[in-house]
Amino acid sequence: MAERVEEASNKQVILRDYVSGFPKESDFEVRTSKIRLNAAQGSKSVVVKNLYLSCDPYMRNRMRNSIGSNSASFTPGSPITGYGVARVIDSGHPNVKIGDLVWGIIGWEEYSLITEPETLFKIEHTDVPLSYYTGILGKFIPFVSSKLLQVQ
């Protein structure tokens, strides 16, 4: 039986070119592309619908062509990436289910294809607003997770 492939329009925030000085609106463009809403058969990829995106001070440095920096530069012509909260809409990964809420690095776009879902954190506690995961809760999760792994 053939796999049913769904596509959707996907608005993305694109970095036009490396930024010098303060970022300006003209350094970015909103582009609409198509995205496949199905994870490729046999892959461990997940497709997510992005709900919340963070805009953090460190991102300004990533807009520059900064060789030797602690964080890699964004790629001009590609969507900006950053921390965000998303809902899984398709998954090829055994530990990530459709409907799961996740937090991690995602694109500044409506939908993202995550090829390394091991980098995502499942959101188990929804008794706080999901947007909190792009702020203080999101900054705290990797620290706590790494400490828990050291203890076990």
Side-chain angles (χ1 to χ4, degrees):
M1 185 195 276
E3 177 185 13
R4 196 180 80 145
V5 176
E6 287 185 62
E7 279 191 343
S9 238
N10 192 28
K11 283 187 185 173
Q12 305 170 303
V13 177
I14 306 293
L15 179 67
R16 289 181 185 223
D17 201 357
Y18 293 118
V19 174
S20 59
F22 287 103
K24 307 175 291 309
E25 186 176 340
S26 62
D27 292 322
F28 308 93
E29 97 182 75
V30 175
R31 185 183 300 164
T32 302
S33 65
K34 292 281 186 194
I35 187 169
R36 179 181 161 151
L37 296 179
N38 307 86
Q41 262 187 331
S43 78
K44 291 190 175 181
S45 299
V46 299
V47 180
V48 297
K49 168 74 172 138
N50 297 324
L51 305 174
Y52 295 97
L53 302 170
S54 69
C55 185
D56 297 309
Y58 82 92
M59 297 173 85
R60 184 169 166 216
N61 288 333
R62 295 192 64 200
M63 293 176 194
R64 297 184 186 136
N65 189 3
S66 49
I67 299 169
S69 173
N70 288 345
S71 54
S73 296
F74 291 128
T75 304
S78 296
I80 292 173
T81 57
Y83 292 106
V85 173
R87 183 177 306 281
V88 176
I89 58 172
D90 199 28
S91 176
H93 196 283
N95 298 330
V96 182
K97 306 294 181 219
I98 294 173
D100 281 352
L101 292 168
V102 294
W103 170 89
I105 299 290
I106 57 179
W108 277 24
E109 54 193 350
E110 291 180 275
Y111 299 93
S112 292
L113 171 66
I114 310 295
T115 57
E116 296 179 18
E118 299 82 11
T119 63
L120 299 173
F121 292 88
K122 274 193 195 179
I123 296 175
E124 305 289 347
H125 304 286
T126 57
D127 52 340
V128 297
L130 292 175
S131 61
Y132 286 15
Y133 285 89
T134 63
I136 188 69
L137 287 179
K139 306 307 183 256
F140 189 62
I141 290 171
F143 174 76
V144 170
S145 297
S146 69
K147 295 303 175 196
L148 287 174
L149 290 174
Q150 289 175 0
V151 170
Q152 295 177 355

